[in-house]
Amino acid sequence: MSDRPGALLDVLLAGGRRADRLTHVEHLPGRPGQHADWPGWADASLVAGYRSLGVERPWAHQVEAAEAAWSGRHVALATSTGSGKSLAFWLPALTAVRADRAAETLAPGRIESARTRGTVLYLSPTKALAADQVDGLQRLLDASRANDVKVSTCDGDTSFEERKWVQEYADVVLTNPDFLHFALMPNHRRWTRFLRNLRYVVVDEGHSYRGVFGAHVALVLRRLARLSAHYAPAPPAGSSEPRRGMDRPASDTGSARGLTFVVASATTADPAASAGRLIGVPSEQIVTVDTDTSPAGRKTFALWQPPEVLGYEAAQARAAAANDPAADAALAESLLIDPTAHDELGLTSDPDEPATPGDSPERPRRSATAEAADLLADLTAAGARTLAFTRSRRGAEAVATQTQDHLRVVSPQLARRVAAYRGGYLPEERRALEQALRSGAIRGLATTNALELGVDISGLDAVLIAGWPGTRMSVWQQAGRAGRAGADGLVAFVAREDPLDTYLVHHPEAIFAAPLEATVFDPANPYVLAPHLCAAAAEVPLRQSDLAVFGDPAAVTELLGVLVARGALRRRASGWYWTHAQSAAAMTDLRGSGGSPVRVVEAGTGRLLGTVDAASADGSVHDGAVYVHQGVSYVVETLDLRDGVALVARRDVDFGTWSRSVTEIAIHGIRDEEESEAPAPVGSAPSGDGPTAEPAPGDEPSVPRGSAPNDAAHPAIQRWWGPIGWGFGPVEVTSQVVSFQRRRLPDLQILGTEPLDLPEHTLPTTAVWWTVPAEVLEAAGIDAETAPGALHAAEHASIGLLPLLATCDRWDLGGVSTAMHVDTEQATVFVYDAYPGGAGFAERGFHLGATWLRATRAAISRCPCTDGCPACVQSPKCGNFNNPLDKAAAVRLLDAVLAYAPA
């Protein structure tokens, strides 16, 4: 057997010249496949179709999941990327549809045969995945000659005429949770046929539904099941069969009436619990299939740390002495500090300052994005088909552009075989790129996690992961793209200068030996639940018997009382009613994007280039911002937030833009934990009579987005480590983009700063915080001058380390530090969930405070830099340009705090 991954690793090592960057190599063995026979109930034409497509016999896990779904059991299918999960749910679903079609054919004159023809709903988190699935499904139906099954996608891009056809005739509908929430369920009467006969709901990529988005989708699915039960035919008189819903006995046959959920996901911890929380049933009612019996090739998994830039000071001195722009450019090239690797959504959305030659640590490291571009260029030149995953949209553009620049010297034709792929592209662009990668027309693709999901891209030789993607689940999803279909593959994780990345490349056991994370989301989050209760009441009035569908009936009743008091719902003896003209569904933003995307339009031609999430528009497409699309640069002329349009002009520029924001945070009420001790005499502890303001209602008599019960009923809680206070609870974070800088590329010299006049944004969420009295600061040698830098550095490092304890990454979090906070009246560090209502991450930090801060202190103190660097206290998402920061004072601060920590 040829050692293709070993040969590709040699390409990365460049004949030993990069050997010092390789910190660890893990060789993951392959496994043989384990087949099973086709189930006896499987439709013969479908089986023939699968065989004609090359599937002579299914894998054992496919049959196990299909059997459970056919018998009417909910299924959690959690196997690796490329393991053939689609067959496991399409085989029973399509067999049921075809059986009903056959019954209709045998009794064409009977109305009830048409009424009971089963339907199937497939949900994916992205339109691209649904489009990919419908292509594969159509190939199967064509191969099976099963043209009697009507299949269609239906989403926000579907025309009214096409949507009407789907409502009347489609047997299988592929869509996303957003369409379900905003279009299908508010107009459920038009979908009566489909909902009445709904048999299977497939929730694909279930692991992607985490945090607040996961909570929203869980409630959307509960509303869907409620509507399906509402339209289901009542059981015959005298029958003991329950009305259809999610909680019903398993049936003996898949054609028996009943709603079955199949949740397909990546390998994850406790898939039954995650799936149960998602669809709203106890985990005991779910069949778990998590033993992967598909074949897997060997994987060579390399951990890679970009090099320190040795001789940096000497090179800087030579450049300064020469006062030579070419020398400056050469220095920047030697550093290859990437001005685009820091932001979350890939444009200039996060107002951060990357390290620059003027403020870098004495031995900076090359950026992960620049390193990935080098590696991608070498792999492309060696003939390998490669995906390079980046952390941001602009990072994907940067890797693709730099790779093309490297290859253009070798072969202009080869450079054209590299491209970027990210969210914000138009659908036709994404589809063309996917097809070009499949066909081999594109050999190297720099992408965001948009290609982490199950779009069918197989036959790849290598995967580069530039920066930790947040969870081990995501790592293995991305790594699974290498060597799909049982082939061998190479994976390289390239560390960013980030505390977590640095830790991981030197502690491989944290990747390869640690258990996978469970998906974390809370459907009971009142900020999420409240608008869904309004939406449910608008669909069908809520009855007392419905409340258990949405959680603990007592808690739901309490929340409904708040909604009634605020005028959102009306209470009648028969239930709760929505009586407003406006759409209740419009109150809820499933993805936390802040509203409809902002369209990026070329001013001279009117051509739509792409879109930007509303929440990031202020920081990414403000007036004067640079917008990059497939390597072509544009400058924003005007941002119109009211109309959701950013007008841009094509312009070649030698600079990038970074926006700056300011953030304030307010606590909603504080009380001491009942079991906590009173604070020690040293230091003045905040009193428990802080502000208890509840979110103000909107102008309309309805609950605004993010509404929750009165915060006075759920105040912040505080515990004490002697004089050190620890708090957790509801907060309100106010942020505003106030200015931006132009920086010359590639050396990042500041060319100018301009103010911006943009609106404030308010986020109601939850936070964890710790307070330090003046006496403790003084004892640690921290005075008024050094306190801001010490607190700021500790905040950054703690945000970087919290993902070790919670299923999140630093982009799910925000932070604020201040030497004197108005609510606590002490020096305070806040870390908050960057989602309305919170997502459980800050709460995890509160409960593991000592462990969290010890890990933070260790990460800072062990970093070899002197003054702080991206590997310890500099943040890739700081709104204050990483200033001020004081590494040494941060260590002293944490030592002082941890001196009072429980053992």
Side-chain angles (χ1 to χ4, degrees):
M1 181 183 295
S2 62
D3 186 16
R4 176 67 166 165
L8 294 179
L9 181 59
D10 289 341
V11 170
L12 299 189
L13 293 173
R17 294 190 300 278
R18 298 185 184 132
D20 59 326
R21 310 178 194 186
L22 184 67
T23 63
H24 179 79
V25 177
E26 190 82 8
H27 296 285
L28 305 174
R31 65 169 180 265
Q34 180 183 341
H35 287 102
D37 293 331
W38 292 99
W41 48 261
D43 181 88
S45 296
L46 294 174
V47 171
Y50 274 117
R51 283 177 168 154
S52 70
L53 294 174
V55 184
E56 189 61 33
R57 296 177 69 203
W59 307 119
H61 70 271
Q62 293 173 321
V63 173
E64 181 184 0
E67 289 278 15
W70 177 255
S71 68
R73 302 288 302 279
H74 303 306
V75 179
L77 175 58
T79 54
S80 63
T81 306
S83 59
K85 290 187 280 285
S86 298
L87 183 150
F89 50 75
W90 286 132
L91 184 65
L94 296 177
T95 294
V97 170
R98 296 213 75 211
D100 291 340
R101 280 285 191 181
E104 182 182 4
T105 302
L106 291 173
R110 300 182 62 184
I111 296 177
E112 60 267 28
S113 65
R115 286 179 176 173
T116 59
R117 191 175 75 239
T119 58
V120 180
L121 180 68
Y122 169 93
L123 295 173
S124 70
T126 66
K127 295 178 183 178
L129 181 53
D132 183 74
Q133 278 285 337
V134 82
D135 287 347
L137 191 53
Q138 199 58 58
R139 287 194 299 271
L140 170 63
L141 294 174
D142 290 344
S144 305
R145 299 183 179 179
N147 297 324
D148 54 335
V149 180
K150 308 301 181 186
V151 176
S152 179
T153 57
C154 195
D155 53 41
D157 298 329
T158 306
S159 69
F160 176 79
E161 292 75 16
E162 292 173 307
R163 196 173 297 186
K164 188 175 181 181
W165 181 91
V166 172
Q167 292 164 351
E168 294 179 358
Y169 301 109
D171 301 306
V172 180
V173 175
L174 299 92
T175 188
N176 52 66
D178 310 82
F179 181 81
L180 202 60
H181 169 72
F182 287 111
L184 191 153
M185 292 194 295
N187 299 288
H188 57 88
R189 291 174 182 83
R190 299 177 183 174
W191 294 82
T192 299
R193 176 199 66 87
F194 187 83
L195 291 169
R196 176 189 294 122
N197 301 309
L198 189 58
R199 301 288 180 79
Y200 288 95
V201 176
V202 177
V203 183
D204 207 357
E205 304 295 341
H207 64 282
S208 66
Y209 301 115
R210 63 183 182 90
V212 171
F213 179 45
H216 277 303
V217 173
L219 292 166
V220 166
L221 294 177
R222 285 157 172 74
R223 287 163 48 207
L224 172 68
R226 178 172 174 260
L227 283 176
S228 178
H230 173 74
Y231 283 113
S239 170
S240 60
E241 181 184 349
R243 194 175 181 89
R244 187 178 67 192
M246 289 188 295
D247 295 307
R248 79 277 185 265
S251 54
D252 321 1
T253 168
S255 61
R257 193 171 290 121
L259 180 58
T260 299
F261 281 80
V262 179
V263 180
S265 78
T267 50
T268 178
D270 204 352
S274 297
R277 192 183 313 117
L278 188 63
I279 67 175
V281 303
S283 59
E284 296 78 17
Q285 294 186 15
I286 294 179
V287 176
T288 300
V289 179
D290 57 2
T291 300
D292 194 339
T293 58
S294 64
R298 297 173 300 158
K299 278 191 174 58
T300 299
F301 203 128
L303 303 186
W304 193 275
Q305 186 172 35
E308 293 178 341
V309 181
L310 301 177
Y312 166 72
E313 299 91 339
Q316 189 178 32
R318 286 196 302 271
N323 194 24
D324 181 3
D328 285 339
L331 172 60
E333 177 65 19
S334 71
L335 285 168
L336 275 173
I337 297 170
D338 176 24
T340 65
H342 68 284
D343 63 311
E344 177 181 10
L345 294 171
L347 303 168
T348 49
S349 58
D350 264 291
D352 305 291
E353 172 111 356
T356 66
D359 60 12
S360 290
E362 68 279 5
R363 297 179 70 180
R365 289 189 181 273
R366 203 163 182 246
S367 78
T369 304
E371 188 79 354
D374 267 10
L375 301 181
L376 181 59
D378 288 353
L379 289 169
T380 302
R385 295 174 63 188
T386 308
L387 279 181
F389 285 99
T390 68
R391 293 298 311 276
S392 68
R393 294 182 181 183
R394 197 164 85 172
E397 295 280 1
V399 169
T401 300
Q402 291 180 26
T403 303
Q404 291 165 349
D405 290 344
H406 296 329
L407 291 173
R408 200 168 284 116
V409 178
V410 179
S411 165
Q413 184 177 3
L414 200 57
R416 288 192 290 270
R417 301 187 69 178
V418 173
Y421 181 105
R422 60 171 175 83
Y425 283 175
L426 300 179
E428 53 269 26
E429 287 182 289
R430 294 198 302 268
R431 298 291 285 168
L433 287 167
E434 292 161 15
Q435 181 55 39
L437 186 61
R438 289 192 192 99
S439 68
I442 286 179
R443 191 178 289 173
L445 196 64
T447 179
T448 60
N449 62 0
L451 277 181
E452 177 184 317
L453 303 179
V455 175
D456 185 15
I457 306 289
S458 58
L460 300 179
D461 300 300
V463 163
L464 303 174
I465 303 173
W468 183 249
T471 66
R472 297 178 189 87
M473 285 188 295
S474 289
V475 165
W476 293 113
Q477 277 288 94
Q478 294 179 4
R481 292 295 190 184
R484 282 181 68 136
D488 296 345
L490 170 70
V491 183
F493 165 53
V494 182
R496 291 172 46 150
E497 280 206 275
D498 174 278
L500 183 54
D501 286 34
T502 302
Y503 176 88
L504 290 169
V505 292
H506 292 289
H507 295 82
E509 70 281 359
I511 298 176
F512 302 110
L516 293 170
E517 307 90 348
T519 53
V520 176
F521 56 92
D522 181 15
N525 181 337
Y527 285 89
V528 178
L529 178 56
H532 281 281
L533 291 175
C534 292
E539 290 154 6
V540 177
L542 280 168
R543 314 298 184 194
Q544 189 69 38
S545 59
D546 293 327
L547 302 192
V549 171
F550 298 99
D552 174 35
V556 175
T557 301
E558 178 187 2
L559 182 52
L560 286 169
V562 174
L563 295 173
V564 170
R566 294 184 178 182
L569 296 178
R570 288 192 180 180
R571 180 73 165 101
R572 295 290 181 263
S574 57
W576 291 265
Y577 291 77
W578 174 264
T579 59
H580 306 294
Q582 65 265 43
S583 168
M587 296 161 41
T588 306
D589 184 358
L590 298 190
R591 298 178 188 264
S593 58
S596 300
V598 171
R599 293 161 291 163
V600 181
V601 177
E602 190 171 19
T605 65
R607 181 168 67 103
L608 178 64
L609 295 176
T611 60
V612 178
D613 291 338
S616 65
D618 286 9
S620 61
V621 287
H622 55 76
D623 293 2
V626 175
Y627 176 86
V628 181
H629 184 89
Q630 280 291 1
V632 178
S633 60
Y634 299 82
V635 174
V636 179
E637 295 185 339
T638 305
L639 170 61
D640 186 335
L641 291 173
R642 181 180 297 274
D643 292 336
V645 175
L647 295 178
V648 301
R650 170 77 178 90
R651 195 178 304 168
D652 291 322
V653 295
D654 62 352
F655 61 86
T657 52
W658 282 265
S659 59
R660 178 177 178 271
S661 65
V662 293
T663 303
E664 297 178 350
I665 191 165
I667 302 171
H668 287 179
I670 300 177
R671 66 172 172 81
D672 286 350
E673 281 190 326
E674 293 179 1
E675 68 276 17
S676 64
E677 298 180 358
V682 59
S684 56
S687 64
D689 57 357
T692 58
E694 71 177 71
D699 295 330
E700 297 295 330
S702 61
V703 61
R705 286 184 182 177
S707 276
N710 189 325
D711 293 315
H714 301 275
I717 56 176
Q718 182 120 335
R719 65 161 63 116
W720 297 95
W721 298 350
I724 306 300
W726 273 86
F728 168 76
V731 297
E732 191 168 86
V733 181
T734 303
S735 61
Q736 182 181 24
V737 176
V738 295
S739 64
F740 75 98
Q741 285 185 343
R742 292 188 181 90
R743 284 181 170 263
R744 189 176 68 189
L745 300 177
D747 62 1
L748 302 182
Q749 178 180 333
I750 298 174
L751 301 177
T753 301
E754 293 191 24
L756 292 169
D757 182 17
L758 291 166
E760 290 184 342
H761 297 280
T762 300
L763 172 71
T765 185
T766 55
V768 55
W769 62 88
W770 43 278
T771 63
V772 188
E775 290 84 350
V776 173
L777 291 175
E778 184 178 351
I782 299 172
D783 56 20
E785 183 177 350
T786 56
L791 294 161
H792 196 193
E795 171 215 325
H796 281 183
S798 64
I799 289 174
L801 269 295
L802 186 54
L804 282 176
L805 307 176
T807 305
C808 66
D809 59 31
R810 71 186 308 152
W811 306 102
D812 294 321
L813 306 166
V816 175
S817 57
T818 176
M820 177 61 67
H821 191 267
V822 64
D823 292 333
T824 66
E825 300 180 359
Q826 294 184 350
T828 309
V829 172
F830 293 88
V831 175
Y832 60 86
D833 295 340
Y835 297 94
F841 309 138
E843 184 175 11
R844 181 78 168 161
F846 176 71
H847 291 301
L848 296 173
T851 301
W852 177 26
L853 286 197
R854 288 188 182 106
T856 300
R857 195 265 182 207
I860 299 174
S861 63
R862 292 174 184 171
C863 185
C865 73
T866 301
D867 299 322
C869 69
C872 58
V873 299
Q874 289 183 355
S875 169
K877 53 178 296 189
C878 176
N880 292 303
F881 296 160
N882 281 299
N883 184 54
L885 292 174
D886 190 326
K887 176 184 176 179
V891 173
R892 297 199 305 274
L893 170 67
L894 290 169
D895 283 339
V897 171
L898 289 168
Y900 294 98

XYZ file of all heavy atoms in Angstrom, residues 66 145 247 351 362 486 624 749 853 902:
72
model
N -31.711 2.364 10.146
C -32.890 2.277 9.283
C -33.968 1.383 9.897
O -35.165 1.703 9.833
C -32.482 1.756 7.900
N -35.705 4.372 -10.761
C -36.880 4.566 -11.612
C -38.125 4.783 -10.750
O -39.223 4.298 -11.047
C -37.074 3.387 -12.563
C -35.899 3.204 -13.515
C -36.128 2.081 -14.500
N -34.983 1.953 -15.399
C -34.890 1.036 -16.362
N -35.888 0.182 -16.557
N -33.827 0.986 -17.135
N -44.595 11.626 21.431
C -44.644 10.645 22.506
C -45.739 9.632 22.184
O -46.904 9.817 22.507
C -44.947 11.330 23.844
C -43.822 12.256 24.247
O -42.683 11.797 24.282
O -44.107 13.439 24.514
N -13.482 44.329 15.614
C -12.562 45.455 15.603
C -11.305 45.179 16.389
O -11.105 45.696 17.471
C -13.396 46.562 16.258
C -14.307 45.830 17.169
C -14.603 44.531 16.519
N 8.991 40.229 21.424
C 10.351 40.207 20.891
C 10.591 39.027 19.963
O 11.479 39.066 19.128
C 11.351 40.189 22.059
C 11.374 38.910 22.889
C 10.252 38.884 23.914
O 9.411 39.793 23.919
O 10.212 37.928 24.705
N -12.982 5.859 2.512
C -12.059 4.801 2.893
C -10.625 5.015 2.471
O -9.777 4.151 2.726
N -16.207 53.470 4.140
C -14.745 53.460 4.071
C -14.103 52.110 4.297
O -12.885 51.972 4.134
N 1.322 49.537 8.863
C 1.571 50.886 9.349
C 0.255 51.662 9.336
O -0.508 51.620 8.373
C 2.593 51.599 8.480
C 2.864 53.042 8.900
C 3.879 53.720 8.008
O 4.730 53.052 7.423
N 3.786 55.028 7.872
N -9.436 29.789 36.415
C -8.409 30.808 36.626
C -7.026 30.201 36.819
O -6.018 30.828 36.455
C -8.773 31.688 37.820
C -9.901 32.699 37.596
C -9.877 33.775 38.673
C -9.834 33.351 36.231
N -10.883 28.142 46.820
C -11.019 26.876 47.547
C -10.065 25.840 46.980
O -9.731 25.859 45.795
C -12.476 26.489 47.313
C -12.886 27.234 46.072
C -12.104 28.498 46.070
